[in-house]
Amino acid sequence: MTPSASSACAPQVQQPRLPFWQVWNLSLGFLGVQFGFSLQNANASRILSDLGADLHALSLFWIVAPLMGLIVQPLVGSASDHTWNRFGRRNPYILFGAVAAALGMVFMPNAGIVVALVAPILFGAVMLALMDAAFNVTMQPFRALVADMVPSQQRTLGYSIQSLLINIGAILGSMLPFILTNVIGLENTSRGGAVAPSVIWAFYIGATVLLGSVLWTVVRTREYPPSQYNAYKGIDAGQLQQEGEQRRSLGQRLGGFCQLLIRMPRTMRQLALVQFFSWFALFIMWVYTMPAITQHVWGVEAKWFDPGYLKTVGEIPAHIAAAKGAAGDWVGIIFAAYSLFAALFSLILTRVAQTLGRKLTYSLSLALGGLGYIGFLLCQGGAPTQVDLLITQVTVPSGALGLLLPMAGVGIAWAAILAMPYAILSDSLPASKTGVYMGIFNFTIAAPQIVSALVAGLVLKTVFQNQAIYIIVLAGVSMLLAALSVFFVREPQPVTKVLEISTAN
């Protein structure tokens, strides 16, 4: 690990390995966060479309997600680096973000009830922004918490467990509206500009799971006190205190932040290119999978996503509403499928990375994801097919069933994206700046999504004539470019020699 100026002269104590279940507890709250995040990813476009959003404008509504990440995560990262109180260092931010996200999840699907005060589509967009800001407040400290508490030799394990729990949460969150419709019996069609009841209740349940799992992590995780943390990370506490006592103006703080950007580790710069192509593709998937499979698999014409056309026809025909509802539910199934494949792959990810190397594992995983997106083209329409999902039986076009195979590649890529860049990056970060650098690293997640939000809708409308399947293919090309970019990344050499000091000294 590259020492910071404040840690250059401090002796470093060997940080103890953690028991497996302690590493598990560190990340359990991420299960709930991803549960809620997956509900949002699978259903936000569906909700916004029901509230009156244009197909090509969906990506512009979604731009609030990366913008919140771009603004919130570096601020929270820096603040949590300098927070030490009886509740911990990262835990206060994790808990606050979870509470705010839960409130957003309760209010967003109920946008129609405020129609007398504000346009539902505007209220829905504001609640989407609130949820994204809150998710970002929670997510960044979670990643920094693993770096704080888990020693370097267990980092890949720590982030792999985090990836596993993320994907368990994603499976459950993605499938929930489908389960509520096909097992519980709630209606899945929207009427009169209102959100489907199955989606509303899914968001209520998601808010509950989010708060419960985060509380588990906060209660069960005791963060290291400052003196112990500084000893494990080789940080000179006296120097840190001297730096903290120096009052700096806003201009000086901005200048210091710019210096951090200029001096960011080389590995972070190289990973940024991989992140750009990866997250450009992921953003397209989250925004446009629902309209893509509704058109390509269920055969619903693009005009049924045009609010102007819908006004001319009055009420949507029952078979169109049913097809859109069924496709929206199936998005939850295939999103759950890629999360399941990701969870399974995360179980062997550490061993695969040890065998093939982290870079080759990362690159091959991204390549499989790119081929998966392109494979959507092969899953068009088809005869009605009955599918036994153990919990229920449904009838869908055969093309819908075929989508499960491409999602295997997407799931493998997703598991790698959640774990490998952080495992590669964490060894290159100065311990006293881990939180802020993890926040800065979020720029490489937020920026490509902002670019995608600004570009994808325009490309969909002007190049692909609102045929959303082709924007998914574009995502596949982007993911393949990400796989190639991995080979430009140089991994940092982990520290192998650590000065051990007995507790007696």
Side-chain angles (χ1 to χ4, degrees):
M1 182 176 293
T2 304
S4 65
S6 61
S7 63
C9 299
Q12 186 170 348
V13 178
Q14 177 70 55
Q15 185 171 351
R17 295 175 65 91
L18 299 180
F20 174 84
W21 289 112
Q22 191 170 350
V23 179
W24 178 276
N25 287 336
L26 282 172
S27 295
L28 184 65
F30 231 135
L31 182 150
V33 175
Q34 192 63 34
F35 192 106
F37 194 56
S38 295
L39 273 172
Q40 172 188 293
N41 286 344
N43 295 283
S45 288
R46 180 179 182 177
I47 292 172
L48 292 169
S49 181
D50 289 341
L51 295 176
D54 278 317
L55 180 62
H56 62 271
L58 284 176
S59 62
L60 297 179
F61 284 101
W62 275 77
I63 201 172
V64 298
L67 280 176
M68 290 299 102
L70 194 64
I71 296 169
V72 171
Q73 286 211 22
L75 295 177
V76 172
S78 179
S80 67
D81 279 344
H82 296 89
T83 297
W84 296 100
N85 57 43
R86 64 192 182 94
F87 299 107
R89 190 185 193 196
R90 315 293 183 184
N91 281 342
Y93 298 92
I94 291 172
L95 183 58
F96 173 79
V99 172
L103 290 174
M105 293 183 69
V106 169
F107 287 125
M108 183 181 179
N110 290 295
I113 66 177
V114 298
V115 65
L117 301 175
V118 64
I121 187 63
L122 177 59
F123 184 80
V126 171
M127 289 301 101
L128 180 61
L130 172 62
M131 280 194 297
D132 276 303
F135 283 138
N136 279 287
V137 169
T138 302
M139 285 181 179
Q140 193 285 328
F142 257 122
R143 296 207 182 277
L145 186 65
V146 172
D148 287 352
M149 301 294 294
V150 179
S152 178
Q153 63 269 30
Q154 288 185 295
R155 291 278 170 77
T156 301
L157 170 66
Y159 285 118
S160 294
I161 289 175
Q162 195 171 89
S163 177
L164 171 65
L165 291 170
I166 285 171
N167 286 295
I168 291 173
I171 292 167
L172 298 175
S174 298
M175 289 186 65
L176 188 57
F178 177 90
I179 293 171
L180 292 178
T181 296
N182 294 280
V183 179
I184 305 300
L186 295 181
E187 188 176 358
N188 70 343
T189 56
S190 62
R191 299 188 184 281
V195 177
S198 61
V199 176
I200 294 175
W201 278 99
F203 272 61
Y204 291 164
I205 295 170
T208 304
V209 172
L210 169 61
L211 282 177
S213 62
V214 166
L215 281 171
W216 178 274
T217 287
V218 170
V219 171
R220 303 285 293 182
T221 300
R222 183 176 177 272
E223 297 186 72
Y224 294 127
S227 58
Q228 196 172 4
Y229 177 83
N230 292 338
Y232 289 153
K233 304 301 182 181
I235 297 173
D236 187 333
Q239 180 68 24
L240 276 182
Q241 182 177 1
Q242 182 179 353
E243 292 175 357
E245 291 173 352
Q246 295 175 353
R247 294 180 177 272
R248 298 192 301 169
S249 66
L250 177 61
Q252 289 174 323
R253 290 197 296 270
L254 289 175
F257 183 76
C258 291
Q259 286 299 313
L260 286 175
L261 291 176
I262 294 171
R263 297 174 183 174
M264 75 170 62
R266 180 176 59 181
T267 302
M268 183 186 288
R269 296 177 187 273
Q270 294 166 341
L271 282 169
L273 185 62
V274 184
Q275 292 281 91
F276 179 87
F277 290 121
S278 301
W279 287 92
F280 185 93
L282 288 169
F283 186 85
I284 288 175
M285 176 186 71
W286 291 326
V287 176
Y288 288 113
T289 295
M290 190 276 289
I293 72 168
T294 303
Q295 295 172 4
H296 194 65
V297 179
W298 267 264
V300 175
E301 294 179 84
K303 66 184 180 182
W304 293 108
F305 289 89
D306 181 357
Y309 178 77
L310 294 179
K311 289 180 181 178
T312 66
V313 299
E315 187 173 351
I316 299 176
H319 72 284
I320 297 295
K324 292 178 74 172
D329 283 348
W330 196 253
V331 169
I333 293 298
I334 63 174
F335 276 24
Y338 90 72
S339 298
L340 175 60
F341 289 123
L344 293 174
F345 184 62
S346 68
L347 293 174
I348 61 171
L349 179 57
T350 301
R351 181 168 295 182
V352 173
Q354 290 171 347
T355 302
L356 300 181
R358 292 192 287 199
K359 284 175 57 176
L360 183 57
T361 300
Y362 192 15
S363 180
L364 290 176
S365 300
L366 295 177
L368 289 173
L371 294 175
Y373 286 137
I374 295 172
F376 272 47
L377 270 176
L378 304 177
C379 304
Q380 184 173 15
T385 305
Q386 190 173 54
V387 182
D388 186 353
L389 295 173
L390 300 180
I391 56 175
T392 188
Q393 291 185 340
V394 293
T395 300
V396 297
S398 59
L401 187 60
L403 286 170
L404 296 176
L405 181 59
M407 297 315 281
V410 174
I412 290 171
W414 179 236
I417 289 168
L418 291 176
M420 298 311 298
Y422 298 97
I424 293 171
L425 177 65
S426 60
D427 283 327
S428 71
L429 299 180
S432 63
K433 298 291 190 294
T434 297
V436 68
Y437 268 127
M438 284 292 189
I440 291 173
F441 191 58
N442 190 62
F443 287 5
T444 68
I445 296 174
Q449 292 184 75
I450 292 171
V451 173
S452 186
L454 295 173
V455 170
L458 183 63
V459 171
L460 176 63
K461 182 178 181 180
T462 60
V463 179
F464 300 138
Q465 286 75 52
N466 283 333
Q467 299 299 313
I469 187 64
Y470 297 113
I471 204 73
I472 300 295
V473 174
L474 179 63
V477 174
S478 182
M479 194 68 83
L480 290 176
L481 292 174
L484 292 174
S485 302
V486 173
F487 293 103
F488 295 99
V489 177
R490 290 189 179 183
E491 290 189 80
Q493 294 298 317
V495 175
T496 57
K497 184 177 180 180
V498 178
L499 177 62
E500 297 187 27
I501 301 178
S502 68
T503 56
N505 291 333

